[in-house]
């Protein structure tokens, strides 16, 4: 764009993409051949799930995040659908809960065992039956617990409450029927009170998420939107699609007025769908094209010219879809601000791609990690359905600021999933047999919860999910990770020693000044 300044001050100006080494990729994954314009992959800090190609029904693969390398072709799968799986999404408030939708017109919600899928799962925790045609898209509510949205080829958007005791739910709490064609994408604002949809009828609709009442609607003939994204903290919408001349295009809209776009920019003449990803903490927008190897990223501002181009990541491996790691799963010690999991169909490969802010210091950088949305719901399903809107519960990404999840808290979370069935899922401290006695002994010995949480996690890896290395390359990788962790701990101890000496010196100076003043 001609109005773009040549130089612009920004701490994210030099963000670069760093692809993982071959040992840190997931190889031999039979990625689905579906032509659906979805991401086909979803990630959380514990597991990676990807839709796979299989005969005789639909299935997806759930892998422990740290079990990289060659994937066993006979690895157990989640295969309870009678038709091809079209979309999967992890529950943002429960790392062991995942939803899937399929061509068999159903949506299913699954419980994943704590150590991963060790045998094929065929029985879902919940089954949602309400759509009359195949279901192509699902989204979890960003702040309300156990609220799920689904939409299918029957043009309906359905809202489900998973807190009911029934295993098979046939009636959604609400059905939104404003669309005249297939819904291509859905996006929520920060507190989940607004829902934006893009539809095959060329219209983008902004509506109240709870009631479905339409607030704004686009009617642009020059821009055909395929994906929509609410940029929550700047009150704008971004759509990706094609122009009148079939060029790939992004458009920016005012949330309060969708009659005319604030900005339109043509990117190229390729035909693949553009997937937009937005990070509200850094105000960065990532645009990845289906079938492309490159990825553009921008910085969003609330004033003109609104979109500031940063740079472009290039690769010769084309992506079919992208999974995104939640912010709480990033490596803050390496200044990682975003992480993609790139599906490379031609090589049956899933390649992690980290977006990194170059900094000389390896200590925690507070200016690039503000408080972010955590894994605790702000409201219950009943509260949200009754009209309560709340923003997300925020958490800090600073190492050591979050206490380990206790055994009792984990049990409470599991019982909320299915109170009628006993659970045996361990948390971060599941190795402790008697939580009360262990807590008393820790208090007597002066060991804090924070210190114990660091002992149960090695280099960011949950020991409960780690298995012994099976090959020499895995053993070497574990060794290097351990050496890196030792180096970081030594550096941390050195920093603490320096701080202690500084405090001792300050105390000595204060005592000297007080003695002189008394004289």
């Amino acid at each position: 764009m001609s109005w773009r300044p040549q130089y612009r001050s920004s701490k994210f100006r030099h963000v670069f993409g760093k692809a993982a080494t071959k040992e840190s990729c997931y190889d031999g994954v039979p990625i689905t051949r579906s032509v659906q314009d979805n991401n086909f992959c979803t990630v959380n800090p514990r597991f990676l799930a990807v839709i796979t190609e299989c005969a005789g029904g639909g299935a997806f693969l759930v892998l422990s995040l740290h079990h990289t390398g060659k994937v066993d072709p006979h690895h157990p799968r989640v295969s309870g659908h009678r038709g091809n799986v079209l979309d999967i999404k992890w529950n943002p408030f429960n790392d062991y809960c995942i939803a899937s939708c399929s061509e068999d017109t159903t949506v299913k919600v699954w419980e994943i065992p704590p150590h991963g899928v060790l045998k094929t799962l065929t029985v879902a925790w919940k089954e949602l039956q309400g759509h009359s045609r195949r279901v192509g898209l699902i989204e979890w509510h960003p702040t309300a617990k156990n609220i799920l949205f689904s939409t299918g080829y029957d043009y309906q958007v359905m809202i489900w409450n998973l807190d009911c005791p029934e295993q098979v739910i046939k009636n959604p709490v609400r059905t939104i029927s404003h669309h005249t064609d297939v819904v291509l994408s859905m996006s929520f604002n920060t507190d989940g009170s607004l829902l934006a949809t893009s539809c095959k009828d060329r219209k983008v609709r902004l509506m109240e998420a709870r009631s479905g009442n339409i607030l704004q609607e686009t009617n642009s003939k020059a821009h055909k939107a395929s994906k929509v994204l609410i940029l929550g903290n700047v009150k704008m919408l971004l759509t990706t699609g094609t122009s009148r001349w079939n060029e790939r295009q992004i458009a920016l809209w005012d949330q309060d007025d969708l009659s005319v776009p604030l900005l339109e920019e043509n990117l190229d003449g390729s035909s693949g769908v553009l997937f937009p990803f937005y990070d509200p903490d850094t105000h960065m927008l990532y645009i990845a094209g289906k079938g492309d190897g490159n990825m553009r990223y921008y910085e969003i501002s609330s004033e003109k010219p609104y979109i500031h181009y940063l740079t472009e990541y290039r690769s010769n491996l084309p992506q079919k879809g992208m999974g995104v790691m939640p912010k709480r799963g990033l490596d803050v010690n390496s200044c990682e601000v975003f992480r993609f999991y790139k599906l490379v169909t031609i090589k049956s490969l899933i390649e992690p791609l980290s977006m990194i802010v170059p900094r000389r210091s390896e200590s925690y950088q507070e200016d690039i990690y503000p408080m972010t949305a955590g894994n605790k719901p702000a409201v219950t399903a009943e509260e949200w359905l009754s009209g309560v809107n709340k923003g997300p519960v925020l958490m800090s990404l600073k190492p050591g600021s979050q206490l380990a999840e206790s055994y009792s808290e984990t049990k409470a979370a599991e019982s909320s999933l299915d109170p009628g069935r006993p659970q045996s899922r361990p948390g971060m401290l599941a190795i402790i047999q008697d939580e009360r006695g262990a807590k008393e002994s820790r208090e007597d010995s002066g060991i804090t919860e924070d210190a114990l949480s660091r002992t149960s996690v090695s280099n960011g890896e949950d020991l409960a999910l780690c298995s012994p290395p099976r090959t020499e390359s895995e053993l070497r990788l574990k060794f290097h990770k351990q050496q890196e962790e030792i180096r970081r701990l030594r550096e941390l101890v050195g920093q603490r020693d320096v701080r202690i000496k500084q405090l001792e010196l300050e105390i000595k100076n204060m005592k000297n000044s007080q003695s002189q003043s008394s004289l």
Side-chain angles (χ1 to χ4, degrees):
M1 290 180 285
S2 59
W3 41 261
R4 206 184 276 144
Q6 187 174 2
Y7 296 105
R8 177 175 173 272
S9 175
S10 170
K11 66 183 73 173
F12 304 109
R13 180 179 166 196
H14 300 291
V15 170
F16 66 94
K18 181 181 179 182
T21 59
K22 188 175 181 181
E23 291 80 10
S24 300
C25 296
Y26 306 84
D27 195 10
V29 181
I31 301 168
T32 178
R33 299 191 187 97
S34 172
V35 297
Q36 192 87 0
D37 290 328
N38 288 338
N39 287 313
F40 303 119
C41 179
T42 182
V43 194
N44 68 27
R46 292 178 181 271
F47 298 111
L48 164 73
V50 58
I51 301 174
T52 57
E53 187 69 20
C54 68
F60 59 93
L61 200 61
V62 175
L63 303 171
S64 179
L65 198 67
H66 305 292
H67 292 173
T68 54
K70 189 75 174 178
V71 176
D72 185 352
H74 302 293
H75 191 286
R77 306 184 189 188
V78 182
S79 57
H81 286 286
R82 298 185 303 277
N84 291 331
V85 177
L86 300 180
D87 195 18
I88 50 177
K89 293 281 170 34
W90 286 108
N91 187 333
F93 310 121
N94 188 339
D95 289 344
Y96 302 101
C97 180
I98 188 171
S100 62
C101 62
S102 167
E103 291 182 349
D104 64 7
T105 74
T106 66
V107 178
K108 296 190 178 186
V109 185
W110 307 85
E111 263 192 296
I112 303 301
H115 297 288
V117 180
L118 303 180
K119 61 179 181 179
T120 299
L121 293 181
T122 57
V123 179
W125 172 55
K126 298 283 185 183
E127 182 173 338
L128 315 180
Q129 300 176 356
H131 290 279
S132 58
R133 299 184 64 185
R134 56 181 171 170
V135 187
L137 196 62
I138 49 177
E139 290 287 348
W140 292 93
H141 193 277
T143 60
K145 183 180 180 181
N146 287 339
I147 292 290
L148 184 66
F149 283 63
S150 66
T151 181
Y153 282 67
D154 54 4
Y155 313 155
Q156 311 289 322
V157 177
M158 296 186 179
I159 307 174
W160 305 89
N161 178 10
L162 305 184
D163 277 345
C164 60
E166 293 84 6
Q167 193 266 335
V168 178
I169 306 174
K170 296 187 177 181
N171 297 312
V173 294
R174 190 158 290 109
T175 301
I176 302 172
S177 307
H178 300 306
H179 302 88
T180 60
D181 212 322
V182 178
V183 177
L184 302 176
S185 71
M186 296 188 290
S187 175
F188 292 95
N189 66 338
T190 305
D191 64 1
S193 60
L194 299 178
L195 172 68
T197 61
S198 61
C199 185
K200 208 170 180 179
D201 61 8
R202 294 175 174 258
K203 291 185 178 181
V204 174
R205 296 171 175 87
L206 182 67
M207 62 190 76
E208 293 178 346
R210 191 181 295 102
S211 64
N213 296 330
I214 293 181
L215 304 176
Q216 297 284 333
E217 187 175 282
T218 65
N219 199 18
S220 175
K221 303 294 183 183
H223 177 75
K224 181 182 179 182
S226 57
K227 300 290 181 183
V228 63
L229 207 58
I230 298 182
L231 311 181
N233 51 0
V234 289
K235 291 195 173 181
M236 289 190 288
L237 274 72
L238 180 120
T239 57
T240 63
T242 55
S243 68
R244 184 174 292 172
W245 312 109
N246 251 7
E247 290 182 306
R248 293 201 296 191
Q249 186 182 63
I250 60 175
L252 201 64
W253 309 78
D254 184 353
Q255 184 174 297
D256 299 323
D257 182 14
L258 298 184
S259 57
V260 179
L262 296 173
L263 178 72
E264 289 182 344
E265 181 178 359
N266 294 334
L267 300 184
D268 53 40
S270 300
S271 58
V273 171
L274 293 172
F275 296 110
F277 305 93
Y278 181 63
D279 181 3
D281 299 333
T282 61
H283 301 272
M284 286 185 64
L285 172 71
Y286 303 87
I287 303 291
K290 184 177 180 180
D292 299 353
N294 62 335
M295 181 190 302
R296 301 172 178 89
Y297 33 105
Y298 306 79
E299 197 169 0
I300 303 295
S301 66
S302 56
E303 300 174 353
K304 287 185 178 181
Y306 304 117
I307 297 182
H308 306 274
Y309 175 77
L310 294 174
T311 185
E312 184 175 359
Y313 169 80
R314 293 182 177 273
S315 170
N316 57 0
L317 297 177
Q319 61 251 4
K320 181 183 179 71
M322 308 281 276
V324 175
M325 172 64 74
K327 294 299 286 285
R328 57 193 172 88
L330 300 182
D331 182 9
V332 296
N333 291 319
S334 64
C335 297
E336 183 184 34
V337 292
F338 217 75
R339 190 192 305 163
F340 296 96
Y341 285 78
K342 179 176 169 180
L343 305 187
V344 185
T345 311
I346 59 173
K347 290 194 171 185
S348 299
L349 185 74
I350 303 178
E351 179 187 54
L353 173 63
S354 298
M355 312 308 295
I356 295 174
V357 179
R359 294 283 174 94
R360 291 183 180 179
S361 174
E362 292 188 1
S363 60
Y364 179 72
Q365 306 289 306
E366 291 192 12
D367 60 321
I368 62 176
Y369 295 113
M371 296 289 284
T372 189
N375 59 343
K376 304 295 182 186
V379 293
T380 64
E382 290 75 15
E383 289 173 341
W384 184 78
L385 291 171
S386 65
V388 178
N389 290 322
K390 284 186 181 179
V393 177
L394 302 180
M395 64 177 286
S396 171
L397 298 179
K398 187 173 183 178
S401 63
Q402 296 296 314
L403 295 177
E405 182 184 9
S406 70
Y407 184 66
S408 57
E409 287 174 345
T410 309
K411 281 293 182 184
E414 290 163 1
S415 61
S416 67
L417 257 182
D418 193 351
R421 183 159 54 89
Q423 303 284 338
S424 59
R425 177 179 303 153
M428 295 282 285
L429 305 179
I431 56 173
I432 301 173
Q433 299 297 326
D434 188 348
E435 178 66 20
R436 183 177 300 173
K439 186 174 182 180
E440 292 174 355
S441 64
R442 289 198 299 271
E443 291 174 352
D444 295 338
S445 60
I447 301 177
T448 63
E449 290 286 340
D450 188 26
L452 188 61
S453 69
R454 287 195 292 270
T455 62
S456 63
V457 178
S458 175
N459 198 28
E461 299 185 9
D462 189 348
L463 294 180
L465 297 178
C466 291
S467 64
R470 292 167 292 182
T471 63
E472 185 179 349
S473 61
E474 287 186 9
L475 181 62
R476 190 180 297 112
L477 182 62
K478 296 283 184 185
F479 173 75
H480 289 313
K481 285 184 177 181
Q482 188 183 51
Q483 293 299 311
E484 178 68 16
E485 183 182 11
I486 292 172
R487 185 189 63 78
R488 288 177 180 169
L489 289 174
R490 283 176 176 168
E491 182 182 351
L492 182 62
V493 170
Q495 292 173 356
R496 297 284 170 85
D497 289 341
V498 171
R499 181 60 179 158
I500 290 171
K501 290 178 181 179
Q502 289 175 348
L503 292 173
E504 288 176 349
L505 186 60
E506 289 177 8
I507 293 172
K508 187 177 180 180
N509 291 336
M510 289 177 63
K511 287 181 178 179
N512 290 337
S513 61
Q514 288 175 0
S515 61
Q516 290 176 1
S517 62
S518 62
L519 292 175

